[in-house]
Amino acid sequence: MDKSFKIYVVVFLLLILGYLYLESTKKQPINWFPSYAENHKIPYGTYVLRNELKTFLPNVTIDEIKIPPYIYLEDSTRTGTYFFADATINFGDAEFFRLMQFVKRGNDVFISTHGIQIDTLNFKTKRLVSDNLDEKVFFKFYNKAFKGKEFTFNRAFANQVFTKIDTLNTTVLGITGYVNANSERTEEGVNFVKFNYGKGHFYFHTFPEAFTNYSILNPEYEQHTANILSFVDSTKPFLWDSYYKTGKSGISSPMHYLLSSKYLKWAYYMALIGVLFFVIFEGKRKQRSIPVLTPLKNQTLAFTRTIANMYYEHQDHKNLAEFKISYLLEYIRTKLHIPTTSIDETFYKYVALRSGNTFEDVEKLFKLCDEIHLKNQISMDELIKLNKMIEKFKNTIQYGRK
């Protein structure tokens, strides 16, 4: 290595180190990702609301719900106000039906989101669009206690309004729209309603940004959030939904944790660059070439077919069925990521939710497996029945059909 080349390498290293220093010390840009997660302190997280909820609702008890409403509301004795806030929320039909039954018993459900399918209750929404970029958005409550005060918001968002409501059972609580430079309203629509259902109420709200850190820490918007929460019945437990959130609720991997810290991230990058230089300067071949070995062929499928044919020819239907059941359990563990240590009703529910099969079909399949386990021998018809039920179960997962 000649002298000039060494100089180039030193200069290059100094440039890299200088770039890393500038990158590690510069001010980080604001993360505007709409996570709505209670552990996120970014502008569109809900960390402040979750920790200051007692300030807005001093007498209410608060529970965090980290499982789907479909499972949580299985217990019909649950009571309270179920609170959802996220950019979009997509309930399944069965899940929304449970929410309706929950409200019908005398509870409340508060949903603040830009996107939700609520055709079941005869509600439809559309996006309210302003033709003039200079116009400002406004929010106004119909409650006389707020004295007609209007609020605004200074960031772009999807301003949704209701285009269809059930007027017999719905009370309009608030509106939104746009005003021009002359304080004239150019667009207007309903964005906050209370829907009476059974003994309880649904609250539908289309501006979830009101519950984010950005709104609550801004003195101009904090009162708007307080006014919205004033409609919540403080005599009922407050059920905070932590399941339907766009943002991740925790560290998903060691690499995610490493890259989430500015200093750890740049230490990791510098280590990679160091490894790169080591490969460049120390990667010269110091041993003879390694011969290429052809890997062994995967004979698993052929072996499986041979074993299956052997059992079939010997009419050993029982052992063949046991193998198929074992393979089914392995398929559930690897594809659906559900443990199979305990086969009970909870197991049936999780398998049904993740596979697209009905609870009844899953239960029938594993009841048949239990019957086969208890028998010393089974007939060919029982083996064929088991095989058909397993294939139907897998086809529903792969193609989404029953």
Side-chain angles (χ1 to χ4, degrees):
M1 186 181 296
D2 58 18
K3 184 177 180 180
S4 60
F5 182 73
K6 291 181 179 178
I7 294 174
Y8 292 142
V9 171
V10 171
V11 172
F12 179 71
L13 286 174
L14 290 175
L15 289 174
I16 291 295
L17 292 175
Y19 173 75
L20 291 176
Y21 174 77
L22 293 175
E23 284 293 321
S24 62
T25 56
K26 75 177 184 180
K27 186 177 180 181
Q28 295 297 313
I30 297 176
N31 182 2
W32 290 99
F33 177 71
S35 75
Y36 294 92
E38 64 275 3
N39 61 328
H40 285 183
K41 298 180 181 180
I42 59 177
Y44 281 172
T46 55
Y47 176 85
V48 176
L49 176 63
R50 178 61 189 87
N51 287 273
E52 298 296 328
L53 199 53
K54 280 288 187 180
T55 303
F56 293 102
L57 303 169
N59 300 320
V60 76
T61 58
I62 303 170
D63 294 322
E64 280 192 16
I65 313 301
K66 298 182 179 181
I67 58 176
Y70 180 83
I71 296 177
Y72 179 77
L73 296 178
E74 227 176 13
D75 184 354
S76 60
T77 62
R78 307 280 193 190
T79 61
T81 300
Y82 213 141
F83 180 82
F84 299 87
D86 196 34
T88 57
I89 302 176
N90 294 309
F91 298 112
D93 292 339
E95 190 167 56
F96 193 70
F97 177 75
R98 287 214 167 154
L99 285 172
M100 293 172 62
Q101 295 299 110
F102 175 71
V103 172
K104 192 174 183 179
R105 293 193 297 268
N107 302 290
D108 296 339
V109 170
F110 193 111
I111 302 174
S112 182
T113 181
H114 294 307
I116 182 175
Q117 297 295 330
I118 46 178
D119 296 345
T120 307
L121 302 179
N122 294 321
F123 283 86
K124 289 186 180 296
T125 62
K126 73 170 184 178
R127 183 168 182 175
L128 198 64
V129 179
S130 172
D131 297 330
N132 191 338
L133 296 177
D134 294 332
E135 292 182 337
K136 294 182 179 180
V137 67
F138 75 89
F139 301 96
K140 182 179 179 181
F141 297 101
Y142 278 164
N143 192 323
K144 295 181 180 179
F146 302 136
K147 300 179 181 179
K149 180 176 176 57
E150 293 187 0
F151 300 89
T152 186
F153 192 68
N154 62 1
R155 292 194 60 83
F157 70 99
N159 197 4
Q160 298 285 123
V161 295
F162 293 99
T163 58
K164 179 182 178 182
I165 60 177
D166 183 350
T167 56
L168 294 178
N169 299 296
T170 303
T171 302
V172 175
L173 302 179
I175 61 173
T176 184
Y178 295 94
V179 294
N180 58 23
N182 297 323
S183 299
E184 298 172 340
R185 295 184 182 180
T186 57
E187 299 287 344
E188 184 179 309
V190 176
N191 78 321
F192 188 19
V193 297
K194 173 183 177 182
F195 177 73
N196 302 323
Y197 187 77
K199 298 179 180 179
H201 312 90
F202 278 99
Y203 292 88
F204 296 118
H205 181 251
T206 65
F207 181 56
E209 286 85 355
F211 303 104
T212 61
N213 302 327
Y214 180 76
S215 291
I216 297 176
L217 294 178
N218 191 321
E220 297 181 15
Y221 310 143
E222 179 186 12
Q223 187 59 46
H224 183 210
T225 305
N227 291 349
I228 297 172
L229 291 175
S230 68
F231 290 97
V232 175
D233 188 348
S234 59
T235 63
K236 299 177 180 178
F238 194 88
L239 309 177
W240 175 282
D241 169 66
S242 296
Y243 181 79
Y244 279 109
K245 290 291 183 286
T246 303
K248 293 182 180 179
S249 58
I251 301 300
S252 60
S253 68
M255 185 59 69
H256 179 262
Y257 176 77
L258 187 68
L259 297 179
S260 64
S261 171
K262 179 177 71 173
Y263 303 105
L264 290 178
K265 177 176 68 175
W266 284 108
Y268 173 70
Y269 288 159
M270 291 182 69
L272 289 181
I273 293 174
V275 171
L276 175 63
F277 278 108
F278 176 82
V279 171
I280 293 175
F281 297 109
E282 294 294 329
K284 294 181 180 179
R285 179 171 293 167
K286 297 181 180 180
Q287 62 180 22
R288 61 183 179 178
S289 59
I290 301 174
V292 177
L293 299 178
T294 304
L296 297 175
K297 293 183 179 179
N298 188 347
Q299 300 292 339
T300 303
L301 184 59
F303 176 78
T304 304
R305 288 175 177 170
T306 302
I307 295 298
N309 289 334
M310 181 183 70
Y311 281 114
Y312 185 78
E313 289 174 0
H314 287 80
Q315 300 294 308
D316 195 352
H317 305 314
K318 165 69 174 178
N319 279 330
L320 187 54
E322 292 289 352
F323 274 112
K324 293 190 73 66
I325 294 171
S326 298
Y327 180 74
L328 172 63
L329 295 175
E330 176 65 19
Y331 182 88
I332 290 173
R333 288 192 294 269
T334 56
K335 297 294 184 181
L336 302 181
H337 306 291
I338 299 175
T340 58
T341 52
S342 177
I343 310 298
D344 51 20
E345 288 195 3
T346 303
F347 172 80
Y348 299 157
K349 293 168 190 169
Y350 278 107
V351 170
L353 283 173
R354 295 193 183 182
S355 67
N357 287 272
T358 64
F359 178 91
E360 291 75 16
D361 288 344
V362 174
E363 185 180 25
K364 287 179 182 178
L365 173 59
F366 285 95
K367 291 295 184 183
L368 178 60
C369 293
D370 290 338
E371 293 175 7
I372 291 174
H373 285 318
L374 297 175
K375 293 182 178 180
N376 294 325
Q377 297 293 333
I378 65 171
S379 65
M380 181 182 292
D381 291 337
E382 291 175 301
L383 177 61
I384 293 173
K385 179 181 178 182
L386 173 65
N387 183 69
K388 287 182 178 180
M389 292 182 71
I390 292 175
E391 291 302 317
K392 179 183 177 184
F393 175 83
K394 292 181 179 179
N395 286 337
T396 302
I397 298 175
Q398 295 176 357
Y399 306 109
R401 64 184 183 220
K402 300 290 179 70

